[in-house]
Amino acid sequence: MNQVAVARKNKVLVVDDHPIVRQGLALLINRESDLMVCGEAEDAQAAVQAVTASKPDILVVDISLNGPDGLDLLKDIRARYPDLPVLILSMHDESIYAERALRAGAQGYIMKQEATEKVLVALRRILSHEIYVSERIANRMLQRYIGNPTTDGPFSIADLTDRELEVFRLIGEGHSTRQIAEELHISVKTVESYQAHIKEKLSLRSARELVQHAIQWSISEKTA
């Protein structure tokens, strides 16, 4: 008797600290004939455990997580599972984070504001060993490659290191220096050092200016 071969579905692990986002992605992905969600995680530690347990074909990771952020998780995944592809799905401005994520080892970056169908396009493209970014970011990277860099001025948030940007984001979300230290598992003195570097790079004269600037940036990201 002839048996019809059933195509294997690619397994997707979703990492996001909002349950409603995880549920929404699961509903979107599980209705596809070639994709299925094999697990969910809300933070970096749970994500690493879930990768070991469910052996996904691809990860979808948000940048904002409780504890170490998505970029830290991405770097950890790269060290542990160098061939496991990762799609970053985030509310954060792609002009600040997309190239940073690609340098850290992601195969794609998509903003949550994009149409849901684009998530499926991005997943399939990455599973086909391609890179997925928006046309805007692709053009920006091409301009830099051919020698016509686009910059936001001499003191750009894009110039911050990954850790400095993480500290800057947490300041904008209202975290104190001690809270940032606890969340990132570093000392208060180390956080203060990052704050000093941020002030210098952004030409901010005081801690008050740093907080105001970080809050304004955080608000602009959420309303973009």
Side-chain angles (χ1 to χ4, degrees), residues 5 13-14 21 27-28 72 95 101 105 112 120 122 128 144 149 162 219:
L13 176 66
V14 178
V21 174
L27 286 172
L28 173 71
D72 283 335
S95 67
K112 289 181 178 178
L120 301 174
S128 297
R144 184 174 291 113
D162 292 347
I219 291 171

Side-chain angles (χ1 to χ4, degrees), residues 147-184:
N148 298 315
T150 56
T151 62
D152 300 320
F155 302 105
S156 170
I157 291 171
D159 294 327
L160 301 179
T161 66
D162 292 347
R163 183 63 91 185
E164 288 166 357
L165 183 58
E166 189 174 14
V167 170
F168 186 71
R169 175 177 62 78
L170 291 171
I171 293 171
E173 293 175 358
H175 292 66
S176 69
T177 299
R178 183 166 297 280
Q179 288 172 328
I180 294 172
E182 291 174 355
E183 180 155 345
L184 300 182

Side-chain angles (χ1 to χ4, degrees), residues 24-97:
L25 285 171
L27 286 172
L28 173 71
I29 293 168
N30 285 335
R31 70 186 185 192
E32 299 300 304
S33 61
D34 59 332
L35 300 168
M36 63 172 285
V37 170
C38 65
E40 300 177 9
E42 64 179 0
D43 58 34
Q45 182 178 359
V48 172
Q49 293 172 347
V51 169
T52 302
S54 60
K55 296 180 172 53
D57 298 299
I58 187 169
L59 267 62
V60 177
V61 177
D62 188 10
I63 284 179
S64 297
L65 300 174
N66 295 320
D69 71 3
L71 291 180
D72 283 335
L73 171 60
L74 175 58
K75 293 170 186 175
D76 190 15
I77 291 295
R78 275 296 141 265
R80 296 169 183 259
Y81 306 96
D83 298 324
L84 179 59
V86 177
L87 168 64
I88 298 293
L89 174 65
S90 179
M91 62 171 282
H92 293 296
D93 186 355
E94 62 182 357
S95 67
I96 302 294
Y97 282 96

Side-chain angles (χ1 to χ4, degrees), residues 165-221:
L165 183 58
E166 189 174 14
V167 170
F168 186 71
R169 175 177 62 78
L170 291 171
I171 293 171
E173 293 175 358
H175 292 66
S176 69
T177 299
R178 183 166 297 280
Q179 288 172 328
I180 294 172
E182 291 174 355
E183 180 155 345
L184 300 182
H185 306 294
I186 57 180
S187 69
V188 169
K189 187 173 182 180
T190 301
V191 175
E192 291 172 344
S193 178
Y194 285 127
Q195 291 170 337
H197 293 158
I198 295 167
K199 285 192 292 184
E200 181 179 356
K201 288 183 177 181
L202 301 183
S203 295
L204 302 172
R205 294 168 295 182
S206 66
R208 182 177 180 180
E209 279 194 6
L210 172 59
V211 171
Q212 291 174 337
H213 200 71
I215 290 173
Q216 289 171 357
W217 178 72
S218 180
I219 291 171
S220 69
E221 272 214 311

